[in-house]
Amino acid sequence: MNTNNTAVPEHKPARSWLVRLLITLAGLAASGFVAIALFVCIALAVAYPNLPDISELSDYRPKLPLRIYSSEGALIGEFGEERRNLTRIKDMPKVMKDAVLAAEDARFYEHGGVDYIGVLRAGITNLWNSRAQGASTITMQVARNVYLSSERTVTRKIYELLLTFKLEAGLSKDQILEIYMNQIFLGHRAYGFAAASEAYFGKSIKDITIAEAAMLAGLPKAPSAYNPVNNPTRARARQLYILERMVGQGFITQEQMEAAKNEPIKTKEGGMLAAVPSEFVAEMVRQLIHAQYGDDTYTRGLNVYTTIHAEQQIAAYKALRAGIMDYERRQAYRGPEEYVELSQDPKQLADDVLEALQDHPDNGDVYAAVVLEVNAKKIVAERANGDVIEIVGDGLKPVQSGLASNASPKIKIRRGAVIRVIQNAKKTWDVTQLPEVEGAFVAMNPKTGAIQALVGGFDFTKNKFNHVTQAWRQPGSSFKPFIYSAALEKGFTPATVVNDAPLFFDAGATGGQAWEPKNYDGKFEGPMTLRRGLAQSKNMISIRVLQATGVKTAQEWIGRFGFDEEKHPPYLTMALGAGSVTPMQMATAYSVFANGGYLTTPWLIQKITEERGKTLVNTASKEIQESQRAIDARNAFMMTSLLQEVTRSGTAAKARVQLQRDDIYGKTGTTNDSHDAWFAGYNPTVTAVTWIGYDTPKSLGDKETGGGLSLPVWIRFMQTALKGVPISVAQPPDGVVNRNGEWFYDEFTKGASVTSLGLEPAAGASPSAPLKPTSEQERKSILDLFR
């Protein structure tokens, strides 16, 4: 019997290979962890020392622009690459902080720089959503925005994480949030939420509403896409999302959210500084500050407080523009600015209009528009903001030549024409055009020299040439008072009678060619007093007065008013203002009459402070000193009396009629061929000068005068400047007497008729050393006045 002794083989458990696999994987994981740990340690060892020093952030001082303010504190100018209004976290409204946290990092005060819960949530969301969701915290954004570039690399991400931890370790949460809310770019050159509030809503951050805060909080994600001015629809959608988030985080109630949703958002038109248009002033200040502080001007956070009165500045700006546009309505139509092709598709039409007007921005209250429909009785046009307006009736009068059937192709108004429109007093529309003529306006306090309003031209963007300080123009008849002032010191009086009769001078008397001057109206009225001669602006009277006074004497005398003597050659043409002056010089000179005889220096800057309030410059009120006396107080009083007659019965009589007050004094001025139109005048509280003319001198028109062009501008301004100012009466100084209703120097009335031109002035000099006609030759010159 065969027995099978073969052994049965032993079987190992089937799971043994799995154990080995797990052990292998665990070893690999451990090795990987160790490798990662070593890599992180090496990275930290290499990268951490190279991280930026964050100690300066504990005393956060970003680049801050030069900011310029009116005397009341209204922002009128800003210069710097970054518009920023540094606001400390304690001063940031809670609603703004809540909106930012809801939008960007609700767990900011809970995590340590990296929100791991947020990362996990974003990862899960991204698995199921094609639109990726980020998990950057506010601290990570600060690290990125302050120190790192925008490149997307692993190295930069590592540095961002490391820097995030360093920021969290070195700064408090409030410090990090303060940096974020002041550093972040929010469009419109605005950095930080305080600057954005001013840029988009024209208001201080402290006055922000829930609705506005939610709108601003949506900007960091994409400033251009969620810009409430350029993309209101997207901005609105983002705002609603943030409001929901604010409710979800318990920052606001459901009722507050509903109220915020229904609140209309009013964005600011015309930029950050539209409220007080002061571009020429701001540029003057910028130049002065840059001369002192160099390039630090634009980053140091200097705040400059000027002497400008905001209300007067606005009034001056509006008055000058209104005066220039009134003149423009009387000019021939020069045609549309451009012709563009418009689509017949209504959906494409709006884009065509917007694209066409990009090169034709609105100019203050003179708006650009594209013509959609036109016939002889109506124009329909669309503005850049989408408003469709209709112009009919009198609104078409300025462009009748462009509506005529036989109009030249260059001026023909047709569909696609880019035109200008302006609202009139009736709130209807007129077609107009951008003016070619320029103007200037300046107002100052005659007692201190403080500049209260200054407009250097029609529009700073269009023409940056400051006509107040840079335009040297002939003053015309507005210069006559300074000739009369010199004559008063020669023994003349307001009652002195001079003959308004024709004159002829050869080339030797004029310094040029033969000259036969005329009065503006071409008429001669015979003998009249100096008072009436100045009131009626009689050229023959002024010439004879200068002839008797002496051209050299008069040239020296005008230097007392701040004029450059060499710009007024000693010829008889000086009597008619043939020299050169600037509007600023004229304001300074007329202030001598207004303040009783003192020459003050115009000034503009009151105070300069740094960002934290340290005062660098503080200009004390400039009280008049006796050392500034330019002319005798009696002379100033007498000239004020003469200039009052101009506004009572002379070429500026409409000023008294419209302002309904007697304490206004001034003189119109129109140069030869009406190249320049002036009005210079004052009240004891303010001196103001207006000039209108072309940059390249040419006639304004045969019937255009200082009284017709510039005086209305001055009156409009004074209606604001003198509101609430009591009417004053000029008090005669010592040494002035009144005889039969006329004023005289006391010594000039003793022992002689008040109209005697051969009068020898009494001995005893006045404070301004009166110029006495003592020689026989001078007596003969005075007698020539009657020839």
Side-chain angles (χ1 to χ4, degrees):
M1 179 174 175
N2 293 328
T3 303
N4 189 351
N5 295 321
T6 304
V8 177
E10 185 178 326
H11 294 282
K12 295 181 178 180
R15 55 186 179 179
S16 60
W17 67 271
L18 182 59
V19 173
R20 289 196 299 270
L21 178 62
L22 291 174
I23 292 172
T24 301
L25 290 175
L28 290 173
S31 299
F33 180 79
V34 171
I36 292 172
L38 286 172
F39 175 79
V40 170
C41 289
I42 293 171
L44 287 172
V46 173
Y48 203 85
N50 294 323
L51 291 176
D53 181 11
I54 67 168
S55 60
E56 62 182 25
L57 288 184
S58 61
D59 184 24
Y60 176 59
R61 294 193 179 191
K63 290 181 180 179
L64 296 173
L66 167 68
R67 294 168 72 86
I68 302 165
Y69 299 90
S70 71
S71 60
E72 304 90 345
L75 182 67
I76 62 174
E78 190 172 42
F79 296 92
E81 291 182 7
E82 301 176 0
R83 285 176 172 164
R84 182 182 283 109
N85 186 3
L86 181 60
T87 305
R88 297 299 174 186
I89 196 66
K90 63 182 178 61
D91 299 319
M92 189 69 70
K94 183 178 184 299
V95 66
M96 191 70 252
K97 289 186 286 188
D98 290 344
V100 168
L101 293 175
E104 297 295 318
D105 190 356
R107 299 185 65 253
F108 172 71
Y109 281 97
E110 300 170 23
H111 61 66
V114 177
D115 185 2
Y116 300 104
I117 296 176
V119 171
L120 181 62
R121 182 173 58 249
I124 295 173
T125 301
N126 292 342
L127 287 174
W128 303 98
N129 195 331
S130 60
R131 296 181 64 184
Q133 186 179 97
S136 289
T137 64
I138 283 176
T139 311
M140 293 167 72
Q141 291 185 59
V142 170
R144 182 165 60 244
N145 292 330
V146 175
Y147 290 112
L148 301 175
S149 68
S150 58
E151 63 177 344
R152 293 172 178 255
T153 64
V154 174
T155 301
R156 190 202 64 80
K157 194 64 179 176
I158 292 173
Y159 270 95
E160 180 182 312
L161 288 171
L162 294 176
L163 190 53
T164 295
F165 294 134
K166 189 172 184 178
L167 288 171
E168 288 280 346
L171 301 175
S172 70
K173 285 289 189 178
D174 279 350
Q175 285 177 310
I176 294 171
L177 186 59
E178 178 181 288
I179 294 168
Y180 176 80
M181 297 192 74
N182 284 282
Q183 187 73 21
I184 191 75
F185 175 64
L186 299 172
H188 268 323
R189 288 179 54 210
Y191 287 77
F193 289 93
S197 179
E198 293 175 350
Y200 292 110
F201 305 131
K203 65 195 305 185
S204 170
I205 189 71
K206 64 182 177 63
D207 299 322
I208 206 81
T209 67
I210 293 175
E212 292 165 339
M215 186 75 77
L216 292 181
L219 289 168
K221 184 177 177 66
S224 59
Y226 298 111
N227 183 317
V229 174
N230 299 332
N231 291 297
T233 302
R234 286 185 177 180
R236 171 66 170 169
R238 179 72 175 158
Q239 177 206 35
L240 295 178
Y241 164 77
I242 292 171
L243 288 171
E244 295 279 359
R245 292 274 297 164
M246 292 178 75
V247 172
Q249 296 298 324
F251 292 137
I252 61 174
T253 65
Q254 187 74 29
E255 291 74 18
Q256 287 175 310
M257 181 186 72
E258 294 301 328
K261 283 182 177 181
N262 295 325
E263 178 185 320
I265 296 294
K266 297 180 180 179
T267 56
K268 180 178 181 180
E269 294 186 6
M272 293 181 68
L273 308 172
V276 186
S278 313
E279 294 92 338
F280 288 99
V281 174
E283 176 59 19
M284 289 174 66
V285 172
R286 183 198 69 79
Q287 293 179 18
L288 291 170
I289 299 301
H290 187 267
Q292 180 70 29
Y293 296 100
D295 289 340
D296 286 349
T297 295
Y298 310 116
T299 59
R300 189 172 171 179
L302 296 175
N303 298 306
V304 181
Y305 295 87
T306 67
T307 57
I308 294 296
H309 289 195
E311 186 179 30
Q312 291 189 21
Q313 179 66 25
I314 294 170
Y317 173 82
K318 290 182 176 180
L320 182 63
R321 285 178 67 92
I324 289 176
M325 292 310 298
D326 285 346
Y327 170 78
E328 193 58 47
R329 289 185 181 92
R330 300 192 290 273
Q331 307 312 301
Y333 185 54
R334 296 183 293 275
E337 296 177 17
E338 187 184 0
Y339 296 99
V340 297
E341 292 297 324
L342 297 180
S343 173
Q344 297 298 327
D345 181 359
K347 295 181 179 179
Q348 181 61 35
L349 181 61
D351 291 338
D352 289 347
V353 170
L354 193 59
E355 182 179 353
L357 295 181
Q358 285 182 348
D359 295 330
H360 303 272
D362 292 340
N363 188 301
D365 56 355
V366 183
Y367 305 109
V370 177
V371 174
L372 305 180
E373 303 173 26
V374 58
N375 57 50
K377 296 184 178 180
K378 182 175 73 173
I379 292 177
V380 177
E382 183 173 343
R383 289 180 52 205
N385 65 357
D387 288 352
V388 176
I389 59 177
E390 186 176 287
I391 308 102
V392 296
D394 290 344
L396 299 175
K397 283 185 177 180
V399 295
Q400 282 298 319
S401 58
L403 295 173
S405 57
N406 60 347
S408 163
K410 290 184 178 181
I411 69 168
K412 181 73 172 178
I413 298 178
R414 56 178 172 79
R415 178 178 166 85
V418 178
I419 61 172
R420 293 282 166 172
V421 296
I422 189 171
Q423 269 194 314
N424 55 39
K426 298 178 181 178
K427 299 300 181 182
T428 59
W429 293 96
D430 294 342
V431 184
T432 186
Q433 56 191 344
L434 286 176
E436 293 180 341
V437 73
E438 273 294 352
F441 186 95
V442 60
M444 60 190 289
N445 184 323
K447 296 178 182 177
T448 67
I451 299 171
Q452 297 177 180
L454 185 150
V455 186
F458 179 78
D459 179 72
F460 182 78
T461 304
K462 176 171 169 275
N463 185 354
K464 293 178 172 57
F465 185 77
N466 190 334
H467 297 84
V468 169
T469 59
Q470 296 176 290
W472 290 92
R473 308 293 295 217
Q474 289 187 342
S477 295
S478 63
F479 196 74
K480 289 175 180 177
F482 307 106
I483 305 301
Y484 278 59
S485 174
L488 291 177
E489 300 301 312
K490 280 290 224 175
F492 286 82
T493 76
T496 299
V497 177
V498 184
N499 195 17
D500 178 28
L503 288 166
F504 177 83
F505 302 95
D506 59 27
T510 64
Q513 52 190 334
W515 181 41
E516 187 175 6
K518 297 282 192 294
N519 288 321
Y520 175 76
D521 58 7
K523 300 176 181 178
F524 303 99
E525 299 185 32
M528 65 176 63
T529 63
L530 256 67
R531 178 177 292 278
R532 182 157 179 261
L534 183 62
Q536 298 300 321
S537 198
K538 292 295 185 178
N539 292 340
M540 302 303 108
I541 303 295
S542 297
I543 294 169
R544 284 188 161 91
V545 168
L546 176 59
Q547 197 175 25
T549 303
V551 290
K552 277 289 187 182
T553 297
Q555 186 190 41
E556 293 174 3
W557 183 258
I558 65 170
R560 295 171 179 247
F561 296 87
F563 293 116
D564 299 337
E565 294 178 23
E566 66 274 10
K567 290 189 178 291
H568 301 270
Y571 299 107
L572 291 175
T573 49
M574 181 167 48
L576 307 187
S580 296
V581 300
T582 66
M584 184 69 83
Q585 281 188 333
M586 290 293 280
T588 302
Y590 270 79
S591 290
V592 175
F593 296 141
N595 65 30
Y598 299 91
L599 179 62
T600 57
T601 302
W603 58 291
L604 187 58
I605 296 175
Q606 290 191 93
K607 184 171 68 171
I608 304 174
T609 65
E610 286 187 308
E611 176 267 319
R612 297 208 170 180
K614 179 183 178 182
T615 299
L616 303 178
V617 175
N618 195 353
T619 306
S621 180
K622 295 176 179 282
E623 298 297 332
I624 292 177
Q625 305 296 319
E626 191 59 32
S627 61
Q628 295 173 264
R629 180 164 290 286
I631 62 174
D632 191 335
R634 301 181 305 171
N635 189 300
F637 172 81
M638 205 84 82
M639 288 307 306
T640 291
S641 175
L642 288 171
L643 292 171
Q644 185 180 46
E645 196 63 43
V646 179
T647 61
R648 276 181 173 173
S649 63
T651 55
K654 70 172 69 171
R656 181 179 179 276
V657 172
Q658 294 186 28
L659 294 173
Q660 289 294 296
R661 55 193 304 151
D662 286 322
D663 58 343
I664 49 175
Y665 321 92
K667 183 70 185 74
T668 55
T670 309
T671 60
N672 205 28
D673 295 326
S674 297
H675 285 181
D676 303 88
W678 293 82
F679 187 78
Y682 58 90
N683 168 274
T685 62
V686 59
T687 302
V689 172
T690 308
W691 166 84
I692 292 176
Y694 288 97
D695 279 339
T696 301
K698 66 176 183 178
S699 178
L700 291 162
D702 292 341
K703 296 182 180 180
E704 302 294 352
T705 65
L709 273 178
S710 291
L711 177 59
V713 174
W714 190 87
I715 292 172
R716 285 190 185 105
F717 170 79
M718 285 296 187
Q719 285 171 338
T720 296
L722 298 181
K723 188 182 301 181
V725 176
I727 295 176
S728 61
V729 178
Q731 298 300 314
D734 292 341
V736 173
V737 296
N738 191 288
R739 296 286 188 270
N740 299 321
E742 189 55 273
W743 295 102
F744 304 91
Y745 285 3
D746 184 49
E747 65 266 30
F748 292 173
T749 64
K750 295 175 181 178
S753 164
V754 295
T755 57
S756 173
L757 294 182
L759 177 67
E760 173 72 30
S766 67
S768 61
L771 309 168
K772 298 183 284 188
T774 55
S775 70
E776 184 62 27
Q777 181 179 0
E778 287 175 322
R779 292 177 187 277
K780 289 181 178 178
S781 294
I782 292 175
L783 293 175
D784 284 341
L785 293 166
F786 289 99
R787 295 179 182 173

